């Protein structure tokens, strides 16, 4: 039994770290991509809201201008 454990331990120490590092890197990049897509959505919503605010205040200015005349 102990020989079997030693053999498996030796196998584990001989494994390359490259596949594991590649998997971690893929996970990290996928996470970063998701984060940036969420940020882009938030910014688009802010832009839409800002455009709506601009339109609202332009209408208010036009109404005030028309009442002044």
């Amino acid at each position: 039994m102990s020989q079997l454990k030693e053999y498996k331990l030796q196998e584990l120490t001989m494994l390359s770290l490259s596949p594991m590092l590649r998997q971690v890197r893929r996970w990290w990049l996928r996470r970063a991509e998701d984060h940036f897509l969420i940020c882009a959505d938030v910014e688009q919503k802010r832009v839409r809201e800002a455009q709506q605010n601009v339109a609202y205040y332009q209408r208010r200015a036009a109404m005030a201008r028309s009442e002044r005349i």
Side-chain angles (χ1 to χ4, degrees), residues 49-65:
E49 186 177 317
Q51 288 171 343
Q52 290 172 352
N53 289 343
V54 167
Y56 170 78
Y57 288 114
Q58 286 176 342
R59 282 193 305 272
R60 295 286 305 245
M63 288 170 50
R65 194 177 314 116

Side-chain angles (χ1 to χ4, degrees), residues 29-40:
L29 291 174
R30 191 176 317 119
R31 186 172 169 249
E33 180 185 10
D34 292 344
H35 169 75
F36 289 125
L37 288 174
I38 289 169
C39 290

Side-chain angles (χ1 to χ4, degrees), residues 1-53:
M1 184 73 171
S2 64
Q3 290 177 348
L4 182 62
K5 285 183 182 177
E6 288 175 14
Y7 181 69
K8 286 187 177 182
L9 183 60
Q10 287 176 353
E11 277 184 351
L12 288 175
T13 57
M14 294 177 68
L15 285 177
S16 172
L17 290 177
S18 297
M20 190 184 330
L21 292 175
R22 214 176 7 245
Q23 185 176 4
V24 168
R25 186 166 189 263
R26 282 186 195 142
W27 170 81
W28 182 261
L29 291 174
R30 191 176 317 119
R31 186 172 169 249
E33 180 185 10
D34 292 344
H35 169 75
F36 289 125
L37 288 174
I38 289 169
C39 290
D41 286 342
V42 168
E43 289 300 321
Q44 283 180 342
K45 288 177 186 175
R46 286 182 184 164
V47 167
R48 268 188 247 120
E49 186 177 317
Q51 288 171 343
Q52 290 172 352
N53 289 343

